[in-house]
């Protein structure tokens, strides 16, 4: 087993771990981490498995793709984290409503005024 | 010797998987975030081993560095937000959810994940090795791009269009974060307290000039060796974070015209160069014969500055979620564009946010 | 001669890294672990750099190595200070021997 | 003679430049940016149409490199149709949004929660527009990923522009779906690159991908894209997101954004993998897609009938109508006497794509009209819109025309689309698909009439109406009228759809 294959296998495992984390965890921050790990796994696979020219480093095209991917992942993580914090502030917890843990806690919305009549 | 190297590679690979698995399974958010940074650093080791030093630099600076700092910053904001944050200790940073009473489900999930992973590995390992055709083509045509680092050649020459939209994605993320509401932007601590930290200040004074020189060097050497705009920009953004955290620089504000101009300048210049040369070259993003090196260098310089500002801006603005905004309770549930209190029949109607 | 010295320094550096890691895993409280991590590892790092410099290489590379060592040193010292102070401010009591409380 | 290079560059660059201009701040620059983006997109759509009509398939080697080294833009009839759809819908929505958010923009106070929409709708939607045009024109796999990311990021941000807790949650969920879908897509790209060593769609198509690795790559990519396009049963994120977003954002999301992922599915299935070509032997996969589509039609329509909120009803209708696009897949090949190979069905192809076009226009019109109604009565419940027939006749007309077009009432564009699909199903003797198509049409009619009946009811408390600016009504009506008129001028578009590399013309 060559070194590259070890990294390819690790990449697949990392991808699946990230996928499971994204799907399985309810906490938003872990979901964001999971998406990042999915990306890292793919990047590993791409660079480790691409055939290379003798006497040179990794195939430059996947390298450029991975560089692009890392930047895009950083941008998406930033937006996702920003949104997650707004979810925390606006709906009282780092969870999406359907998969909030436990019985739904009593909402403590600041009531600015008594609800007016709705048409 | 080669066995030793092989053992190193395998242990790096195993370490990676272990770190990721632990990060995904732990219930302590701080641990997960720290593990994320550790994964980034281990990955950059893997990139070096795989002969991809450019990626290693980017991973360490951007993947582990800037993104890690972003996670830590957001973590701190989260830790101070929960209902128990003030007295009973951290609340949202320990995930107590989703576990209890569904052991069967968890076993099933892990089993399914195992099957999926093994299937994926089998497929990947089963891919027959082909010739490195595209790498060969890159080597043959690299001279025409004017640079000698093949990765830079691909990024700013052959696939410059992707890079243009990668910069665009950063700008989109920045604008999107601007479009979220922002409250207190003093992310770390009290500015007064900050000034009383001579150690951090000294470090910043020492490191900032070195890092600045290093960033210029990375841009400069990116055309022939590892390095380039994105790595240098991440480094500069790191300096910005240090400067802000040590109180030597006020947090940049998204409203400031300078930030807007600097943040979008790289994208604007990229588009202008791409379109502006079309009368001579006939296609978008093509450079005239012999001008490749000069254009690439100028473009990289401006992009570096622009991306650094964007990253710093994201670092500061992402965690700036306001405390509960009382005006949110008065927003029209139908999505009134003004978010104002509605006046129907002269009566104030305030509809508190409802959940489904 | 230099080759032997280089190997000796590298080995010693590796030993200090190892010791620092053992300390990180085995020491009783936060402050001790921090101490092991930053002090032992910094020494180890210095030895590694010294050992590497003795290997045949270009002078520019040697300079880069020294610069790296310097940056790591400064950063580790600062981070150690910041972490310790932050822990102290949050009220984390240092461990004071077997009879002491605060773990 | 202006060439394809100019027009395709314009389609990509104009929205980006427009977005940058609109970021300068101030109402005038927002208006200027929108105008620039819209004018550029419309002009490029027209230019590309002429180019493709005259010269057939066109390519633009970006940077002058050409495949496989560089990235190519690839323009065929299908791309032109989608670029034109984006141009028309985007322009109408831009006009609408400039009024919808206009009051907040002119007040100059951007600090109120909702007024952020006034400042950021224009740049975000223009970046989104650039991403969409990028998807529709791209001839490169990895470039598709980058463009889809831009679409996903800006679309999620558009949802959260409505600052309510509901919208923030929906936007967050949408962002996760979008990001994980992108990751599955990217893994597929990685595998295809490892197997074939190229990223160019055309080169991949020439290589005729087959075998386990390529098939699993297609499966991964399709799964990711199905999540992004909200194919049943991965649709759960769509109704909350599209219902909670501000009305002009909902229109763009339902009309264009979900279509961009669908467009990529079509490119991959029919163009790169050629699954309908003789000998591809992929009838099982095609039928699976059709079955999911049929499920979407039934489930989406039934759920739409059960909604009490107007915008959620329209959002579920999107789920249902997207089903038609996937029902197209099994109908694309006509079974023939000699088993294994089937003949390409022009009717199914034209019908499916025509439906995508008409649905885009009609759904945008419906969301804009619904935005007018909810704006007028300050409530999103269907039962509260009683009386809008008298107060907002134009908006109701827009809603009705859009709805009738979706339901397939002649002579609308939707009728032509459904007629073609129905014809393809009946011709092949696959009556079960025909039944699904017909039942879906009837259900659509039912929920459109349900809303209309409420609108014609007398209001309980007349006088509770906010005035709706005229131009908001005109924008909705214009889109609805175009959706209907498409039924009368179908020939050109169907001919246009035949130009290109999909199906037997490859």
């Amino acid at each position: 087993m060559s070194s590259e294959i070890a990294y390819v296998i690790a990449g697949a495992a990392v991808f699946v771990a990230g996928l499971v984390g994204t799907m399985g965890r309810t906490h938003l921050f872990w979901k964001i981490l999971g998406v990042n790990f999915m990306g890292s796994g793919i990047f590993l696979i791409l660079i480790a498995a691409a055939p290379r020219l003798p006497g040179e480093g990794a195939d430059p095209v996947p390298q450029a793709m991975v560089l692009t991917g890392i930047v895009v992942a950083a941008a998406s993580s930033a937006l996702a984290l920003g949104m997650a914090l707004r979810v925390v502030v606006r709906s009282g917890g780092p969870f999406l409503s359907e998969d909030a843990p436990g019985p739904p806690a009593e909402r403590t919305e600041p009531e600015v005024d008594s609800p007016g009549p709705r048409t | 010797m080669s066995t030793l190297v092989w053992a190193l590679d395998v242990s790096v690979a195993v370490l990676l998987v272990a770190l990721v698995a632990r990060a995904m399974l732990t219930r302590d958010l701080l641990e997960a975030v720290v593990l994320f940074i550790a994964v980034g650093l281990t990955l950059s080791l893997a990139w070096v081993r795989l002969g991809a030093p450019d990626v290693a630099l980017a991973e360490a600076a951007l993947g582990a560095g800037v993104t890690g700092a972003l996670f830590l910053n957001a973590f701190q904001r989260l830790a101070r937000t929960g209902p128990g944050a003030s007295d009973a200790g951290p609340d949202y940073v320990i995930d107590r959810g989703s576990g209890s009473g569904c052991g069967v489900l968890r076993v099933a999930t892990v089993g399914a994940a195992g099957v999926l992973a093994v299937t994926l590995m089998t497929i990947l390992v089963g891919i027959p090795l082909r010739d490195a055709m595209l790498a060969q083509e890159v080597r043959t045509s690299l001279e025409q791009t004017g640079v000698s680092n093949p990765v830079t050649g691909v990024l700013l020459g052959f696939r410059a269009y992707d890079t243009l939209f990668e910069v665009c994605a950063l700008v989109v993320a920045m604008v999107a974060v601007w479009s979220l509401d922002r409250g207190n932007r003093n992310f770390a601590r009290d500015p007064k307290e900050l000034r009383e930290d001579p150690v951090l200040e000294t470090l910043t004074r020492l490191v900032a000039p070195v890092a600045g020189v290093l960033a210029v060097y990375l841009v400069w050497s990116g055309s022939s060796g590892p390095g380039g705009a994105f790595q240098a920009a991440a480094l500069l953004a790191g300096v910005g974070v240090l400067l802000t955290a040590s109180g030597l620089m006020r947090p940049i504000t998204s409203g400031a015209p300078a930030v807007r101009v600097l943040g979008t300048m790289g994208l604007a210049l990229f588009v202008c160069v791409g379109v502006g040369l079309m009368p001579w070259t006939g296609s978008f993003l093509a450079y005239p014969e012999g001008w490749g090196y000069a254009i690439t260098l100028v473009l990289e310089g401006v992009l570096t500055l622009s991306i650094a500002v964007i990253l710093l801006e994201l670092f500061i603005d992402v965690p700036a979620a306001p405390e509960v905004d009382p005006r949110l309770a008065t927003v029209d549930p139908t999505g009134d564009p003004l978010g104002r209190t509605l006046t129907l029949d002269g009566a104030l109607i305030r509809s508190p946010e409802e959940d489904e | 001669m230099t080759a032997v010295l280089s190997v000796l320094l590298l080995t010693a550096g590796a030993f200090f890294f190892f010791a620092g890691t053992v300390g990180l895993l085995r020491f009783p409280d936060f402050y001790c672990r921090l101490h092991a991590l930053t002090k032992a590892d910094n020494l180890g790092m210095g030895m590694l750099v010294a050992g590497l410099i003795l290997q045949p290489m270009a002078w520019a590379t040697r300079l880069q190595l020294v610069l790296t060592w310097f940056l790591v040193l400064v950063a580790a010292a600062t981070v150690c200070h910041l972490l310790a102070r932050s822990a102290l401010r949050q009220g984390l009591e240092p461990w004071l021997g077997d009879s002491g409380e605060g773990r | 003679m202006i060439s394809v290079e100019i027009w395709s560059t314009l389609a990509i660059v104009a929205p980006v430049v427009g977005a940058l201009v609109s970021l300068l701040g101030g109402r005038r620059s927002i208006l200027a940016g929108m105008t620039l983006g819209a004018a550029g997109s419309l002009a490029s759509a027209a230019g590309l149409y002429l180019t493709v009509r005259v010269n057939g398939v066109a390519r633009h080697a970006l940077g002058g490199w050409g495949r496989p080294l560089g990235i190519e833009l690839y323009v065929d009839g299908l791309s032109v149709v989608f670029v034109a759809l984006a141009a028309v819908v985007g322009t109408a929505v831009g006009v609408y949004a400039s009024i919808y958010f206009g009051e907040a923009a002119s007040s100059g106070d951007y600090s109120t929660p909702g007024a952020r929409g006034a400042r950021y709708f224009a740049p975000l939607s223009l970046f989104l527009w650039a991403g969409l045009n990028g998807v529709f024109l791209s001839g490169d796999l990895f470039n598709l990923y980058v463009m889809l990311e831009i679409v996903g990021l800006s679309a999620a941000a558009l949802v959260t522009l409505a600052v309510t807790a509901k919208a923030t949650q929906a936007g967050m969920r949408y962002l996760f779906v979008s990001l994980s879908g992108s990751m599955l897509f990217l893994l597929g790209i990685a595998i295809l690159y490892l197997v074939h060593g190229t990223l160019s769609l055309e080169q991949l198509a020439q290589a005729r991908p087959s075998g386990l690795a390529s098939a699993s790559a297609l499966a991964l990519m399709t799964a990711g894209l199905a999540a992004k396009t909200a194919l049943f049963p991965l649709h759960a994120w769509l109704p909350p997101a599209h219902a909670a977003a501000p009305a002009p954002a909902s229109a763009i999301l339902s009309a264009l954004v979900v279509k961009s992922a669908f467009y990529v599915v079509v490119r991959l299935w029919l163009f790169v993998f050629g699954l309908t070509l003789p000998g591809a032997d992929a009838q099982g996969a095609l039928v699976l897609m059709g079955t999911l589509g049929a499920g979407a039609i039934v489930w989406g329509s039934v759920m739409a009938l059960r909604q009490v909120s107007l915008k959620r009803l329209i959002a579920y209708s999107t789920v249902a109508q997207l089903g038609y696009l996937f029902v197209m897949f099994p109908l694309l090949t006509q079974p023939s006497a000699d088993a294994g190979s089937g003949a390409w069905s022009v009717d199914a192809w034209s019908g499916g794509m025509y439906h995508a076009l008409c649905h885009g226009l009609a759904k945008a019109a419906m969301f804009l009209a619904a935005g007018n109604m909810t704006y007028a009565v300050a409530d999103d419940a269907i039962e509260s819109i009683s009386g809008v027939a008298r107060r907002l006749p134009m908006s109701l007309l827009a809603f009705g025309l859009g709805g009738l077009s979706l339901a397939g009432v002649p002579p609308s564009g939707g009728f032509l689309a459904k007629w073609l699909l129905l014809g393809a199903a009946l011709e092949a003797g696959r009556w079960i698909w025909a039944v699904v198509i017909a039942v879906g049409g009837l259900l659509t009619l039912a929920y459109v009439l349900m809303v209309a009946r409420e609108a014609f009811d007398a209001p309980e408390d007349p006088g509770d109406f906010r005035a709706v600016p005229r131009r908001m009504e005109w924008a909705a009506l214009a889109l609805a009228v175009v959706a209907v008129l498409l039924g009368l001028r179908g020939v050109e578009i169907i001919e246009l759809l035949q130009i290109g590399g999909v199906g037997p013309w490859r």
Side-chain angles (χ1 to χ4, degrees):
Chain A
M1 187 169 84
S2 76
S3 297
E4 278 82 13
I5 290 185
Y7 285 117
V8 170
I9 289 177
V14 167
F15 174 83
V16 172
L19 182 69
V20 171
T22 310
M23 300 289 164
R25 298 298 289 253
T26 54
H27 195 294
L28 294 175
F29 276 53
W30 267 282
K31 281 178 181 283
I32 303 172
L33 285 173
V35 174
N36 270 296
F37 287 143
M38 284 167 82
S40 300
I42 299 169
F43 300 156
L44 260 182
I45 293 168
L46 196 51
I47 287 196
R52 42 195 74 206
L53 292 171
E56 276 191 21
D59 185 346
V61 177
Q63 281 198 65
M65 286 159 71
V66 169
L67 274 171
T68 307
I70 289 175
V71 176
V72 172
S76 337
S77 302
L79 178 58
L81 281 172
M83 254 188 213
L85 284 171
R86 272 70 180 180
V87 169
V88 173
V89 167
R90 286 176 199 166
S91 34
F95 307 99
L96 295 174
S97 53
E98 285 104 283
D99 26 65
E106 282 295 311
R107 299 282 311 264
T108 51
E109 288 270 335
E111 297 257 326
V112 172
D113 212 76
S114 59
R118 300 276 303 277
T119 37
Chain B
M1 187 63 195
S2 71
T3 322
L4 265 179
V5 170
W6 179 82
L8 175 70
D9 281 329
V10 171
S11 41
V12 168
V14 170
L15 181 65
L16 263 177
V17 177
L19 289 175
V20 169
R22 176 76 194 161
M24 288 285 88
L25 291 174
T26 178
R27 296 197 169 279
D28 181 349
L29 184 56
L30 184 59
E31 186 186 344
V33 170
V34 171
L35 282 170
F36 171 78
I37 297 171
V39 168
L41 295 176
T42 317
L43 262 177
S44 48
L45 193 58
W47 297 135
V48 174
R49 291 288 315 130
L50 286 167
D54 291 89
V55 182
L57 272 173
E59 183 78 50
L62 253 172
V66 174
T67 315
L70 251 167
F71 266 107
L72 278 176
N73 214 5
F75 167 84
Q76 203 185 12
R77 181 76 184 80
L78 183 69
R80 288 186 289 148
T81 308
S86 49
D87 39 281
D91 192 68
Y92 290 151
V93 295
I94 305 290
D95 185 12
R96 297 191 203 82
S98 72
S100 56
C102 43
V104 181
L105 198 66
R106 179 163 298 178
V107 171
T109 311
V110 171
V115 172
L116 189 62
V118 171
T119 315
L120 191 56
M121 288 169 196
T122 318
I123 290 170
L124 288 170
V125 173
I127 294 175
L129 210 60
R130 55 168 173 77
D131 294 337
M133 314 168 265
L134 209 49
Q136 186 60 51
E137 293 236 17
V138 169
R139 184 194 263 178
T140 319
S141 318
L142 188 60
E143 211 175 306
Q144 297 168 39
T145 63
V147 297
S148 54
N149 177 3
V151 179
T152 309
V154 174
L155 268 181
L156 284 145
F158 307 131
R159 299 184 70 87
Y161 183 62
D162 271 351
T163 310
L164 169 65
F165 276 92
E166 165 190 2
V167 178
C168 185
L170 275 171
V171 175
V172 169
M174 177 174 71
V175 175
V177 169
W178 284 347
S179 80
L180 303 168
D181 48 343
R182 290 180 300 277
N184 182 19
R185 307 172 78 252
N186 278 333
F187 60 96
R189 282 165 295 169
D190 219 279
K192 275 184 228 141
E193 193 191 335
L194 289 173
R195 296 296 303 182
E196 294 165 7
D197 199 338
V199 179
L200 187 58
E201 203 181 309
T202 312
L203 172 80
T204 312
R205 285 187 195 282
L206 272 175
V207 168
V210 179
V213 173
L214 204 55
V216 174
Y217 170 76
L218 276 176
V219 174
W220 182 261
S221 74
S223 59
S224 55
F230 292 98
Q231 294 92 333
L235 197 64
L236 278 185
V239 173
V241 169
L242 261 182
L243 284 171
T244 319
S246 64
L248 289 171
M249 188 175 90
R250 286 225 317 273
I252 58 170
T253 47
S254 56
V259 175
R260 283 175 187 255
V261 170
L262 283 174
T264 51
M265 184 177 57
L267 180 59
L269 181 75
F270 212 149
V271 170
C272 285
V273 169
V275 176
L277 295 172
M278 278 182 78
W280 290 275
T281 58
S283 53
F284 186 47
L285 288 172
Y287 312 137
E289 197 71 45
W291 283 83
Y293 179 70
I295 292 175
T296 307
L297 202 63
V298 171
L299 210 51
E300 285 219 76
V302 178
L303 281 180
T304 305
L305 206 56
S306 212
I307 296 165
V309 169
I310 294 175
L311 293 176
L312 184 59
E313 162 67 31
L314 287 174
F315 176 79
I316 289 174
D317 250 0
V318 159
E323 304 300 323
V324 176
D325 185 346
R327 283 175 304 192
L328 283 181
T330 63
V331 170
D332 180 351
T334 59
D336 175 68
L338 302 181
R340 64 202 158 183
T341 328
L342 298 174
T343 312
L344 302 183
D345 268 358
L348 270 185
I349 296 183
R350 290 179 170 165
S351 336
E353 232 342 276
E354 288 163 320
D355 230 55
E356 285 166 76
Chain C
M1 185 58 211
T2 45
V4 175
L5 195 61
S6 165
V7 169
L8 275 178
L9 280 169
L10 288 176
T11 317
F15 171 75
F16 275 101
F17 263 109
F18 181 73
T21 311
V22 170
L24 174 71
L25 293 173
R26 299 292 303 161
F27 275 175
D29 85 332
F30 175 79
Y31 300 100
C32 296
R33 288 198 289 268
L34 198 59
H35 162 261
L37 194 62
T38 45
K39 208 177 259 179
D41 281 10
N42 266 350
L43 191 56
M45 178 82 184
M47 286 183 166
L48 281 187
V49 169
L52 283 175
I53 281 177
L54 294 179
Q55 305 269 345
M57 62 175 71
W59 276 102
T61 319
R62 291 198 173 114
L63 210 64
Q64 284 175 1
L65 275 171
V66 173
L67 187 67
T68 313
W69 172 70
F70 170 73
L71 286 175
V72 170
L73 199 66
V74 177
T78 311
V79 167
C80 177
H81 161 77
L82 289 177
L83 281 174
R85 196 185 59 173
S86 164
L88 206 59
R89 281 196 182 156
Q90 281 179 19
L92 191 67
E93 297 279 330
W95 178 76
L96 303 167
D98 278 333
S99 57
E101 301 112 55
R103 259 202 82 181
Chain D
M1 178 65 204
I2 300 182
S3 57
V4 62
E5 274 84 6
I6 304 282
W7 295 123
S8 52
T9 308
L10 189 64
I12 308 283
V13 164
V16 174
V17 174
L20 290 175
V21 168
S22 72
L23 274 175
L24 290 175
R27 183 164 198 202
R28 204 169 287 168
S29 65
I30 288 177
L31 219 58
M34 263 295 183
T35 313
L36 203 65
S41 298
L42 284 170
S44 69
L48 288 174
Y49 171 72
L50 291 176
T51 316
V52 169
R53 273 314 280 260
V54 175
N55 301 331
V57 174
R59 293 170 188 81
H60 176 184
L62 295 162
W65 301 111
R67 64 173 183 266
L69 211 46
I71 300 171
E72 278 191 344
L73 297 184
Y74 177 88
V75 194
D76 63 2
L78 185 62
S79 335
V80 173
V81 166
F82 275 87
V83 169
L85 173 66
V88 172
V89 172
T91 305
V93 171
V95 170
Y96 183 93
S98 68
I99 318 287
Y100 186 82
F101 294 117
E103 205 174 319
S106 60
S107 75
D109 176 17
Y110 290 114
S111 65
T112 57
R116 271 185 294 277
R119 171 162 264 179
Y120 293 113
F121 179 83
L124 285 173
S125 63
L126 283 165
F127 278 130
L128 175 64
W129 204 339
L132 288 168
N133 281 345
V135 169
F136 299 146
L137 295 176
S138 183
D140 185 276
L141 260 185
F142 189 72
N143 183 241
L144 276 176
Y145 160 76
V146 176
M147 293 301 184
L148 281 175
E149 283 292 76
I150 288 183
V151 169
L153 290 181
S154 42
L158 280 179
V159 173
T160 45
L161 273 186
V163 289
T164 58
K166 243 189 265 180
T168 316
Q169 291 236 350
M172 186 84 245
R173 182 178 298 278
Y174 177 38
L175 187 62
F176 277 128
V177 169
S178 180
L179 290 179
S180 9
S182 286
M183 284 304 145
L184 291 174
F185 186 59
L186 186 60
L187 182 58
I189 294 175
I191 294 177
L192 279 184
Y193 179 74
L194 294 177
V195 176
H196 296 285
T198 181
L199 294 164
S200 152
L201 293 183
E202 281 188 88
Q203 282 199 320
L204 279 171
Q206 282 155 13
R208 297 227 44 187
S210 58
L212 177 66
S214 298
S216 49
L218 181 65
L220 285 166
M221 293 163 109
T222 309
L225 292 167
K228 276 171 174 274
T229 194
L231 172 61
F232 177 84
L234 302 174
H235 65 280
W237 62 267
L238 186 144
H242 289 197
S250 307
I252 294 183
L253 293 172
S254 257
L256 303 175
V257 174
V258 288
K259 301 282 181 356
S260 67
F262 169 74
Y263 173 88
V264 180
V265 173
V266 169
R267 275 276 180 242
L268 288 177
W269 278 57
L270 307 183
F271 178 76
V272 174
F273 282 77
L275 291 187
T276 54
L277 293 180
D281 198 23
Q283 195 58 28
L286 294 169
V287 168
L288 174 68
M289 289 297 250
T291 313
L292 295 180
I297 294 176
V298 174
W299 180 257
S301 303
V302 170
M303 287 304 285
L305 278 169
R306 295 182 52 198
Q307 296 306 309
V308 290
S309 140
L310 180 58
K311 283 177 80 183
R312 276 185 90 91
L313 180 146
I314 306 175
Y316 268 108
S317 157
T318 298
V319 173
Q321 301 298 325
L322 285 171
Y324 281 100
L325 302 180
F326 287 92
V327 163
M328 172 191 80
F329 282 102
L331 302 178
L332 282 174
T333 51
Q334 298 283 4
S336 54
D338 53 313
S341 75
W344 172 260
S345 164
V346 179
D347 279 0
W349 166 247
S350 316
M353 290 303 119
Y354 213 68
H355 187 266
L357 190 58
C358 294
H359 173 254
L361 292 162
K363 191 49 65 72
M366 287 169 81
F367 261 121
L368 294 186
N372 290 341
M373 296 180 201
T374 55
Y375 183 89
V377 300
D379 199 344
D380 190 32
I382 296 174
E383 58 175 27
S384 70
I385 65 161
S386 46
V388 294
R390 246 199 9 236
R391 295 305 195 90
L392 300 171
M394 269 173 24
S395 293
L396 185 68
L397 185 61
F399 186 90
L401 285 179
L404 293 182
S405 178
L406 283 190
V409 174
S412 63
F415 163 72
L416 187 56
K418 288 198 164 97
W419 182 254
L420 289 167
L421 280 175
L422 209 56
L426 290 175
E427 196 185 329
R430 294 165 173 163
W431 54 271
I432 195 150
W433 299 113
V435 169
V436 170
I437 292 167
V439 167
L442 288 177
L443 286 170
T444 311
L445 200 58
Y447 58 71
V448 171
L449 289 180
M450 190 172 91
V451 174
R453 203 204 57 169
E454 200 67 57
F456 278 107
D457 259 7
E460 288 163 25
D461 183 12
D464 270 5
F465 283 91
R466 272 192 289 183
V468 176
R470 279 284 154 192
R471 261 195 283 174
M472 276 163 64
E473 295 210 78
W474 278 114
L477 190 59
L479 281 176
V481 168
V482 177
V484 171
L485 287 184
L486 274 181
L488 306 175
R489 305 292 307 169
V491 186
E492 282 89 349
I493 293 169
I494 289 174
E495 273 177 13
L496 183 64
L497 281 167
Q498 320 297 323
I499 303 172
V502 183
W505 305 283
R506 189 162 87 185

